[in-house]
C-alpha cells in the first residue's frame, strides 16, 4: 500500500476569544503590537459580530469535508488532510513538521483564498516552504483556483438567490443569508430598477501592482465568469476591508462604489465577496454591518450572497483542485 498523500490546507485563522485578539493582531502586524486605539477598534468589531468569529469552526468543517470528499473519490487512506493557520495556532509551520513526522512524503498545498497575490497566498506558501526545508515533505503548491468550475457554479447560485431575495423585496438586512434553494428564475428586475452586483475582495497595498501581481485580474476573471453563469450583465468590482496602515490601498473602496451607484440611481445592490470563502469578520462586519449601514443611509436595498463555507459543491471543487495538482506533480516526475 502506498503511503498517504498529504494535503496542507491553509487558512487565515482567527482569535479563539477576545483575550487573544492582541496577540493575533500583533502577529498580523509582523510582531509590532497595535496601538491601544487600533486594538480597541478591532475588539469592538469582534464584539459586534458576537465576540468571536465563526471562522475557525468553519475552516475546520471545510477541512473535514475535503477529507471526506477525497476519501469518497479515492478511498480512505489515500489522502490525509492537515490544516494550518497563518496567524493562529495550529500554525502552518508546526503542521508541516507534524506532516513530516507522520511520514507524509509529498503534500499538495491549498490556501482557502481563490486569488493569488504575493502578499496573500505567497506568504502562506513561504511559511510552509521554510518549515518543509528542514525535514520535508515535498510540497506541491496550488497558486490559485479562481476559475475552478464548481467554485464558480456555487457562487453563481448564490448570486441568483441573492437577486431573487432583492426582487422579493427583502429588507436591507444582510444578516439574513440567501439559501441555495431559493427560487432562481429572476434577474432581479421585475417591475423595479435593475440590480447591480458588486464583486469584492480584500484590498491590498497598491504596491503589489509594481510587480504585476495577478490578484486584481483574477478577481475580475472570477466576477466575469460568475456573472456569465448567472446571466448577470450589470456588475462591477470593489475592494473592501483595507487595512489601517499608511500604505495606499487598492481602490475603489466598496463604500465609495455603493455611494457612487446610489448616486446613479441604483436602488438594488448585491454584494458578492468573491475573495472570501467563509463567514468571518470581513463579511459579517465589513459587509453586513458597515456596507448595510451605508445602504440604509442612502436608502438602497443591499443583499449579500451567502458564504460558501462547507457547501458540498464548493468542497467538491477543492477536491478536484487537489487531485489535479497531484496528477500534474506525478506526471512531471
Ligand atoms: C488578502 C487578505 C485576505 C484574503 C485572503 C486570505 O484569506 O488570506 C485577508 C483575510 C482575512 N483577514 C482577516 C483579519 C484581519 N486582517 C487584518 C489585516 C490585513 N489583512 C490583509 C490581507 C488579507 N486578509 C492585509 C494586507 C492586512 C494589513 C496587515 C498589516 O497591518 O500590515 C487585520 C488587522 C486589522 C485590520 O486591518 O482590519 C485583521 C483582524 C481574516 C479573519 C477574520 C476573522 O477573524 O473572522 C481574514 C479571513
Ligand atoms: Fe486580513
Amino acid at each position: 500500500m502506498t503511503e498517504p498523500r498529504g494535503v496542507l490546507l491553509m487558512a487565515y485563522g482567527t482569535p479563539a476569544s477576545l483575550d487573544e485578539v492582541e496577540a493575533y493582531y500583533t502577529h498580523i502586524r509582523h510582531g509590532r503590537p497595535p496601538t491601544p486605539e487600533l486594538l480597541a477598534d478591532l475588539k469592538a468589531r469582534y464584539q459586534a459580530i458576537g465576540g468571536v468569529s465563526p471562522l475557525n469552526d468553519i475552516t475546520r468543517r471545510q477541512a473535514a469535508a475535503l477529507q471526506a470528499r477525497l476519501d469518497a473519490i479515492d478511498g480512505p487512506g489515500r489522502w490525509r488532510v492537515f490544516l494550518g493557520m497563518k496567524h493562529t495556532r495550529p500554525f502552518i509551520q508546526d503542521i508541516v513538521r507534524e506532516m513530516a513526522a507522520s511520514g507524509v512524503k509529498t503534500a499538495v498545498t491549498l490556501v482557502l483564498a481563490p486569488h493569488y497575490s504575493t502578499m496573500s497566498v505567497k506568504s502562506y506558501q513561504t511559511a510552509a516552504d521554510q518549515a518543509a526545508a528542514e525535514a520535508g515533505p515535498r510540497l506541491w503548491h496550488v497558486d490559485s483556483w479562481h476559475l475552478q468550475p464548481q467554485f464558480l457554479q456555487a457562487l453563481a447560485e448564490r448570486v441568483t438567490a441573492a437577486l431573487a431575495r432583492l426582487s422579493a423585496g427583502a429588507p436591507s438586512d444582510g444578516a439574513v443569508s440567501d439559501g441555495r434553494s431559493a427560487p432562481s428564475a429572476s434577474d432581479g428586475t421585475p417591475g423595479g430598477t435593475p440590480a447591480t452586483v458588486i464583486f469584492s475582495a480584500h484590498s491590498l497595498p497598491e504596491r503589489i501592482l509594481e510587480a504585476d501581481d495577478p490578484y486584481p485580474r483574477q478577481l475580475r476573471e472570477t466576477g466575469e465568469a460568475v456573472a456569465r453563469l448567472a446571466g448577470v450583465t450589470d456588475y462591477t468590482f470593489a475592494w473592501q476591508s483595507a487595512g489601517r496602515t499608511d500604505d495606499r490601498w487598492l481602490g475603489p473602496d466598496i463604500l465609495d462604489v455603493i455611494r457612487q451607484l446610489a448616486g446613479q440611481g441604483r436602488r438594488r445592490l448585491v454584494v458578492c465577496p468573491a475573495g472570501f470563502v467563509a463567514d468571518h469578520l470581513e463579511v459579517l462586519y465589513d459587509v453586513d454591518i458597515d456596507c448595510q449601514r451605508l445602504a440604509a443611509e442612502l436608502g438602497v436595498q443591499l443583499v449579500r450572497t451567502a458564504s460558501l463555507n462547507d457547501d458540498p459543491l464548493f468542497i467538491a471543487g477543492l477536491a478536484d483542485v487537489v487531485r489535479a495538482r497531484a496528477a500534474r506533480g506525478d506526471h512531471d516526475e
Side-chain angles (χ1 to χ4, degrees):
M1 162 151 179
T2 47
E3 93 267 352
R5 183 150 274 173
V7 177
L8 176 60
L9 194 63
M10 296 187 280
Y12 206 86
T14 189
S17 70
L18 280 178
D19 290 342
E20 290 183 14
V21 171
E22 183 165 12
Y24 173 70
Y25 204 168
T26 303
H27 194 272
I28 290 174
R29 291 168 50 86
H30 309 280
R32 289 174 295 123
T35 63
E37 293 73 30
L38 284 173
L39 179 60
D41 181 70
L42 181 57
K43 280 188 173 178
R45 281 184 279 147
Y46 280 110
Q47 251 149 354
I49 64 162
V52 286
S53 165
L55 181 60
N56 277 344
D57 280 348
I58 295 169
T59 304
R60 278 194 289 270
R61 292 210 313 266
Q62 290 170 324
L66 178 61
Q67 178 75 66
R69 174 72 185 174
L70 289 168
D71 289 350
I73 299 173
D74 291 321
R78 185 74 195 96
W79 295 94
R80 204 169 147 202
V81 177
F82 293 75
L83 177 61
M85 309 293 193
K86 183 146 88 163
H87 296 300
T88 53
R89 279 195 299 268
F91 286 104
I92 290 166
Q93 292 88 339
D94 296 332
I95 293 301
V96 167
R97 285 181 205 109
E98 193 184 310
M99 292 177 98
S102 72
V104 172
K105 300 278 185 288
T106 307
V108 171
T109 82
L110 182 66
V111 180
L112 283 168
H115 308 103
Y116 182 88
S117 170
T118 50
M119 282 195 69
S120 64
V121 170
K122 176 76 180 296
S123 67
Y124 290 84
Q125 294 172 343
T126 301
D129 285 336
Q130 283 169 353
E134 296 161 21
R138 177 175 44 176
L139 299 177
W140 288 337
H141 296 312
V142 172
D143 285 340
S144 59
W145 40 272
H146 67 295
L147 292 176
Q148 203 289 326
Q150 287 120 305
F151 163 67
L152 297 176
Q153 187 61 43
L155 280 184
E157 286 177 7
R158 281 160 174 72
V159 168
T160 302
L163 287 168
R165 282 194 60 225
L166 265 186
S167 52
S172 183
D173 65 351
V176 180
S177 291
D178 48 343
R180 281 182 52 200
S181 55
S184 63
S186 170
D187 65 352
T189 61
T193 52
T196 304
V197 178
I198 304 170
F199 294 101
S200 68
H202 201 296
S203 186
L204 282 173
E206 230 174 49
R207 73 185 115 88
I208 63 162
L209 300 179
E210 289 159 23
D212 206 18
D213 198 272
Y215 189 71
R217 171 177 58 77
Q218 292 191 349
L219 175 65
R220 216 163 44 240
E221 288 173 355
T222 295
E224 283 164 1
V226 170
R228 202 176 310 121
L229 285 170
V232 167
T233 53
D234 192 350
Y235 60 92
T236 187
F237 296 90
W239 301 105
Q240 62 167 90
S241 316
R244 288 144 178 81
T245 68
D246 296 333
D247 298 287
R248 283 172 59 92
W249 290 71
L250 290 178
D253 184 82
I254 192 162
L255 295 173
D256 293 329
V257 170
I258 291 170
R259 274 187 208 99
Q260 194 192 355
L261 290 168
Q264 293 166 357
R266 308 302 171 114
R267 285 282 163 274
R268 294 134 61 80
L269 306 178
V270 167
V271 171
C272 176
F276 302 118
V277 298
D279 285 317
H280 51 58
L281 193 69
E282 273 75 355
V283 172
L284 301 175
Y285 189 90
D286 296 345
V287 178
D288 290 356
I289 296 181
D290 255 0
C291 292
Q292 286 292 3
R293 186 190 298 134
L294 176 63
E297 274 169 33
L298 297 169
V300 308
Q301 201 191 353
L302 188 151
V303 170
R304 168 179 65 79
T305 56
S307 298
L308 297 173
N309 296 335
D310 58 354
D311 174 69
L313 183 63
F314 167 56
I315 298 296
L318 292 185
D320 282 4
V321 169
V322 167
R323 296 177 79 250
R325 181 64 189 86
R328 180 155 66 86
D330 285 331
H331 177 267
D332 291 347
E333 296 221 311

